[in-house]
Amino acid sequence: MVIQWYPGHMAKAKREVSEQLKKVDVVFELVDARIPYSSRNPMIDEVIGNKPRVVILNKKDMANLKELDKWQTYFKDEGFYPVVVDAKHDKGLKSVESAAREATKEKFEKEKEKGLKPRAIRAMIVGIPNVGKSTFINKLARRNIAKTGNTPGVTKAQQWIKVGKTLQLLDTPGILWPKFEDELVGKKLSITGAIKDSIVHLDEVAIYGLNFLIEHDYEGLCRHYNIDLSSDSELLEWFDAIGRRRGLLQKGNEVDYEAVIELIIYDIRNAKIGTYTFDVVKEVKG
Ligand code: G4P
């Protein structure tokens, strides 16, 4: 389902998430490990406030692990508790419970001092569409609970899912909108499949992707398409070479550029060429 994020929807989503936040001790902010900055909601700090936060960098299997180390440091410096997971293949999920414990330690120590009984930590997930919230919940719950499909905000009937011995998770995630305003962010959201193709120019997305590959994985790019071009070749030469090698031609033996654009986006989005993290900590910090 495509979400149309109108101002009214955004306000409603923000309000609903804020309401649910009152029920929990800790927030799990889910981001895509390929774009740990671009896949965040632009108002996330305002929405979550001072609530302890575990930042879950999901889709580790498709990201650049070296860059992810830097992103973990970045999030720690922000005062959050980062964990890197691959929800789809059930990797790293055990570390989520201990991160939640760490993030809420102070709060629970205070409760203990006040003589309150020990209880489970309550958590909820928030994130933009497609970062893997439903997949993550289903894996943690060990059954299919969260529907893959999206409605802004959160739906009403919610239940607590038991995770391990010390954690309870709301079964419905809070869905917030991505950063649309920045053009480069838009391209990154598109190349990773976070936003629907119709709202961005696919040729620009493919050009962004190709430039990224030429700069960061020139050899992988040449190997994948079995082409041999120098890294300073014109972009058109790359499109031509990929199209001809793959037989993406139309009448008159001309390269079918639309097909090449689709191919490049598909291959990058599905990590067919390599695993990349497009957001760079240095650039975000300025
Ligand atoms: P959402 O609730 O945040 O909107 O995201 P959802 O769980 O629906 O996941 C969006 C897509 O991301 C799904 O792919 C899902 O399988 C995939 N995904 C989630 N976590 C991971 C991960 O850790 N690694 C990888 N590689 N993929 C992940 P889809 O193509 O929409 O569906 P399907 O092909 O898996 O059925």
Side-chain angles (χ1 to χ4, degrees):
M1 191 201 297
V2 185
I3 304 179
Q4 303 288 352
W5 292 102
Y6 298 114
H9 291 132
M10 294 182 183
K12 185 162 179 263
K14 184 171 173 244
R15 209 167 45 239
E16 287 181 351
V17 169
S18 303
E19 202 50 44
Q20 299 303 317
L21 276 176
K22 293 178 191 159
K23 300 181 188 166
V24 302
D25 305 300
V26 58
V27 173
F28 293 164
E29 182 193 352
L30 218 69
V31 299
D32 187 322
R34 293 170 294 174
I35 44 172
Y37 168 78
S38 303
S39 60
R40 303 183 80 194
N41 169 262
M43 293 177 75
I44 194 72
D45 290 340
E46 196 185 306
V47 175
I48 294 180
N50 291 329
K51 190 79 64 176
R53 199 183 320 176
V54 174
V55 177
I56 298 171
L57 297 106
N58 186 37
K59 308 197 186 187
K60 167 191 174 182
D61 55 310
M62 298 206 277
N64 177 310
L65 299 184
K66 245 184 170 171
E67 207 54 47
L68 281 189
D69 282 344
K70 295 182 197 158
W71 277 108
Q72 291 206 71
T73 308
Y74 170 87
F75 285 119
K76 273 184 202 154
D77 290 348
E78 295 278 302
F80 307 140
Y81 296 80
V83 290
V84 175
V85 307
D86 163 5
K88 187 168 181 171
H89 308 99
D90 210 342
K91 300 260 165 68
L93 294 182
K94 288 209 175 79
S95 55
V96 173
E97 195 182 342
S98 43
R101 223 175 296 134
E102 200 54 40
T104 55
K105 206 169 157 191
E106 228 174 277
K107 179 174 184 183
F108 278 84
E109 272 168 8
K110 279 191 190 142
E111 287 196 1
K112 200 176 164 193
E113 278 166 26
K114 284 187 197 157
L116 294 173
K117 275 197 198 136
R119 60 174 178 87
I121 301 166
R122 286 191 288 256
M124 77 173 288
I125 291 179
V126 301
I128 68 164
N130 280 314
V131 289
K133 297 178 297 299
S134 313
T135 309
F136 178 83
I137 293 175
N138 288 333
K139 282 285 154 91
L140 276 188
R142 310 262 160 233
R143 61 200 138 110
N144 263 5
I145 292 179
K147 285 178 208 78
T148 6
N150 291 303
T151 30
V154 282
T155 51
K156 298 288 178 249
Q158 297 208 318
Q159 285 181 9
W160 294 102
I161 302 164
K162 264 183 91 173
V163 181
K165 289 202 173 82
T166 55
L167 186 63
Q168 281 185 345
L169 185 66
L170 273 183
D171 66 353
T172 329
I175 303 166
L176 294 166
W177 62 98
K179 301 179 173 95
F180 296 115
E181 299 77 14
D182 183 320
E183 214 177 293
L184 177 59
V185 167
K187 289 176 195 165
K188 291 177 182 179
L189 287 166
S190 173
I191 204 110
T192 54
I195 54 176
K196 291 291 162 201
D197 296 344
S198 56
I199 65 172
V200 277
H201 295 292
L202 290 188
D203 50 350
E204 288 175 18
V205 175
I207 289 170
Y208 164 76
L210 198 51
N211 274 324
F212 180 91
L213 289 175
I214 294 167
E215 193 182 333
H216 294 92
D217 190 15
Y218 164 73
E219 282 174 14
L221 173 65
C222 291
R223 199 172 42 240
H224 181 78
Y225 293 113
N226 193 16
I227 51 181
D228 184 20
L229 280 180
S230 84
S231 59
D232 56 6
S233 306
E234 297 285 328
L235 274 183
L236 195 58
E237 293 179 68
W238 286 94
F239 277 99
D240 280 332
I242 293 169
R244 296 213 174 273
R245 182 58 84 183
R246 289 296 176 93
L248 300 173
L249 305 171
Q250 48 191 7
K251 266 202 310 250
N253 215 24
E254 293 282 319
V255 169
D256 181 348
Y257 291 109
E258 265 180 41
V260 180
I261 286 167
E262 269 179 31
L263 175 72
I264 291 172
I265 294 175
Y266 176 88
D267 284 347
I268 297 177
R269 195 175 275 175
N270 295 291
K272 300 285 181 202
I273 307 170
T275 51
Y276 310 111
T277 290
F278 300 95
D279 285 336
V280 178
V281 172
K282 270 205 307 260
E283 289 168 11
V284 169
K285 279 188 149 176

